[in-house]
Amino acid sequence: MPDTRTETRTITTTGHFTFADWQERVIGPSEDASPRLAHASVRNTFSGGIEAAGTICEYSIVYTTSKTGSFAGMELLTGRLDGREGGFAVEERGWFDEDGTVHCAFEVVEGSGSGELTGLKGKGGFTARHGETAVAYRFEYELG
């Protein structure tokens, strides 16, 4: 009998993103308290393997000191992934250091791929250093 299984291969793509329109507000207890909870709405523009302009990103942030903390968020990307058109969502988790360096890992939300990205699975990450205008990312994915 012929083998009808399809082999899925992992593809790695890279690029940069820039962020704009960072809107953050303190939820509580106050600007000077630690820990404190904040919410941020951000728009990003991706280039490279992921091409997406004006993404929608929402973060929940916990500041453990005035300069350190952790965050979780969701981001919707619509555009192209290595030439394939569609959209997908990623869940992001990370932390930030005293010097402003942000460490983030993200994973595609299962079932969120649309268009030519239907069935997309993947994960990636980035490290953003304070003052950088473009942040490098790495994304490993499978389309199945």
Side-chain angles (χ1 to χ4, degrees), residues 120-136:
L120 178 69
K121 296 178 182 173
K123 59 185 174 183
F126 63 85
T127 301
R129 288 172 180 70
H130 185 68
E132 285 182 330
T133 57
V135 178

Side-chain angles (χ1 to χ4, degrees), residues 13 48-51 79-86 116-117 141 143:
T13 196
I50 299 172
E51 297 175 41
R80 289 186 173 84
L81 173 59
D82 289 333
R84 294 176 185 89
E85 285 194 49
E116 294 179 297
L117 302 178
Y141 68 93
L143 270 169

Side-chain angles (χ1 to χ4, degrees), residues 7-64:
E7 188 174 316
T8 306
R9 68 182 183 106
T10 300
I11 301 166
T12 300
T13 196
T14 60
H16 290 83
F17 71 89
T18 57
F19 63 89
D21 196 30
W22 182 282
Q23 301 287 325
E24 184 174 330
R25 68 184 178 5
V26 173
I27 305 295
S30 75
E31 192 74 40
D32 300 327
S34 290
R36 78 174 180 277
L37 187 61
H39 178 265
S41 297
V42 185
R43 299 275 181 177
N44 293 316
T45 297
F46 284 78
S47 61
I50 299 172
E51 297 175 41
T55 67
I56 299 169
C57 186
E58 298 292 325
Y59 290 117
S60 293
I61 306 164
V62 174
Y63 286 90
T64 52

Side-chain angles (χ1 to χ4, degrees), residues 100-125:
T101 302
V102 175
H103 308 270
C104 180
F106 58 85
E107 186 168 353
V108 174
V109 174
E110 187 173 339
S112 69
S114 65
E116 294 179 297
L117 302 178
T118 299
L120 178 69
K121 296 178 182 173
K123 59 185 174 183

